[in-house]
Amino acid sequence: MRFTKALLAAGIAGTLVLGFGAMAQAADLIAVITPSHDNPFFKAEAEGAQKRAEALGYDTIVLVHDDDANKQMERIDTAIARGAKAIILDNAGADATVAAVQKAKDAGIPSFLIDREINVTGVAVAQIVSNNYQGAQLGAQEFVKLMGEKGNYAELVGREADTNAGIRSQGYHDVIDDYPDLKMVARQSANWSQTEAFSKMESILQAHPDIKGVISGNDTMAMGAWAALTAAGRTDVILVGFDGSNDVRDSIKQGGIKATVLQPAYRQAELAVEQADQYLKTGKTGQPEKQLMDCLLITPDNAGKLETFAMK
């Protein structure tokens, strides 16, 4: 009861997810910090890291920062205060996160980043991310084929502070821009949000009723866009996403969204924990700090094999 009251007083009630068992021993604790679990991608990361850590004999503390750099620093402070041995982090911004990871390092706690990079090296022990550029090119190539190499289209972009948003957009355009009959008539940031994507898609449709396709920086925005397209009776619009979520998988199987790109979120999180375990035991991971994992195109042909950001 004292422990619960202390957490409430610290203002972080509700951020802990099961993983303690009995009271965790600080020497055996790994902290897992991600954006909100409302997004199934981040929930999959947290579950993958937690389950792998517990399988390796660690206790876990699972926290969320809601893509807020200030909250992220508070969660890092919590990990430090709890005496965590390592931190698995999907961060809240390439620049804003550097100070938080440095603070953990100064406290003797190594950080293992997943999904998103930061803009410096030598602060985190590992940065394990999807090959977003390679994945975006896969998605763009499929989009071009589905569009028949011509027509007006729109792009939905993620959070501008997130390096992945820019990398994916660049990967898309390095393919699509080679086709002069494909014309981008709108480009809007929906901040990775389904609600924002719904609203932005409504506005785009009003301004460009002849739109033929939409390419989205993630599946959450793709789902919002598809809801707006469906509401407007425009299920003829070709829509391609990025992430490999179960929701988009189901839409692909039903003939809605046409394709997505799987980034292996679950395996990234597991790998980060495995490297943390090796680092804690040997002082090294045996891998470079920056590590890329290739993505996979998901279409109706293989969507049935996709489950929770991993292929069966």
Side-chain angles (χ1 to χ4, degrees):
M1 184 62 71
R2 291 177 184 170
F3 182 65
T4 301
K5 289 180 178 178
L7 287 178
L8 288 168
I12 58 171
T15 62
L16 292 179
V17 177
L18 292 178
F20 292 108
M23 188 65 71
Q25 298 297 315
D28 301 319
L29 186 66
I30 287 181
V32 181
I33 308 174
T34 71
S36 171
H37 296 179
D38 289 344
N39 185 320
F41 181 87
F42 303 128
K43 182 178 180 181
E45 286 182 333
E47 289 179 352
Q50 182 182 25
K51 288 180 180 179
R52 189 69 184 119
E54 291 176 355
L56 290 171
Y58 295 92
D59 289 309
T60 57
I61 178 173
V62 180
L63 309 168
V64 298
H65 57 58
D66 298 321
D67 277 318
D68 182 320
N70 292 325
K71 285 185 180 180
Q72 177 176 254
M73 185 64 83
E74 292 172 2
R75 305 314 181 237
I76 294 291
D77 286 340
T78 298
I80 294 171
R82 289 293 316 281
K85 298 296 288 183
I87 294 171
I88 310 300
L89 174 65
D90 189 339
N91 73 75
D95 292 316
T97 299
V98 175
V101 176
Q102 183 66 56
K103 186 173 186 179
K105 182 180 180 180
D106 291 344
I109 305 174
S111 294
F112 299 80
L113 275 53
I114 54 175
D115 180 41
R116 301 168 175 173
E117 297 175 290
I118 55 176
N119 287 335
V120 299
T121 57
V123 180
V125 173
Q127 300 191 52
I128 306 170
V129 302
S130 298
N131 191 337
N132 284 276
Y133 185 80
Q134 171 260 350
Q137 290 195 308
L138 288 178
Q141 289 161 4
E142 183 69 8
F143 183 73
V144 167
K145 183 176 75 173
L146 292 166
M147 290 284 287
E149 301 183 6
K150 62 183 179 181
N152 292 344
Y153 76 96
E155 180 186 6
L156 291 175
V157 186
R159 287 180 67 240
E160 293 182 4
D162 187 338
T163 304
N164 290 346
I167 294 173
R168 290 177 196 173
S169 183
Q170 187 64 54
Y172 288 157
H173 283 281
D174 282 352
V175 173
I176 297 171
D177 292 354
D178 285 341
Y179 297 86
D181 292 332
L182 280 167
K183 301 185 185 300
M184 184 173 68
V185 296
R187 184 177 188 269
Q188 297 281 339
S189 172
N191 294 300
W192 306 130
S193 164
Q194 185 166 334
T195 303
E196 284 192 46
F198 182 92
S199 176
K200 295 292 175 66
M201 193 70 250
E202 283 187 319
S203 298
I204 290 169
L205 280 172
Q206 290 171 3
H208 305 282
D210 61 343
I211 197 167
K212 182 181 174 184
V214 178
I215 192 160
S216 175
N218 81 341
D219 279 354
T220 304
M221 296 188 299
M223 289 299 295
W226 186 248
L229 290 165
T230 300
R234 291 300 312 278
T235 55
D236 60 305
V237 173
I238 292 161
L239 178 56
V240 171
F242 194 115
D243 272 346
S245 72
N246 284 2
D247 286 340
V248 168
R249 172 204 65 191
D250 293 343
S251 181
I252 292 171
K253 291 168 68 176
Q254 294 162 10
I257 294 172
K258 295 299 183 285
T260 187
V261 175
L262 169 65
Q263 52 171 335
Y266 200 94
R267 181 56 190 148
Q268 275 181 18
E270 289 183 321
L271 191 59
V273 170
E274 291 164 8
Q275 292 186 15
D277 178 58
Q278 183 172 346
Y279 184 83
L280 293 172
K281 291 174 177 175
T282 69
K284 56 187 177 181
T285 67
Q287 299 294 330
E289 177 182 337
K290 294 281 190 91
Q291 301 168 51
L292 289 176
M293 297 182 71
D294 279 348
C295 300
L296 177 69
L297 181 68
I298 302 297
T299 68
D301 292 337
N302 61 357
K305 298 179 181 179
L306 177 61
E307 177 60 45
T308 316
F309 301 97
M311 296 301 283
K312 295 177 183 177

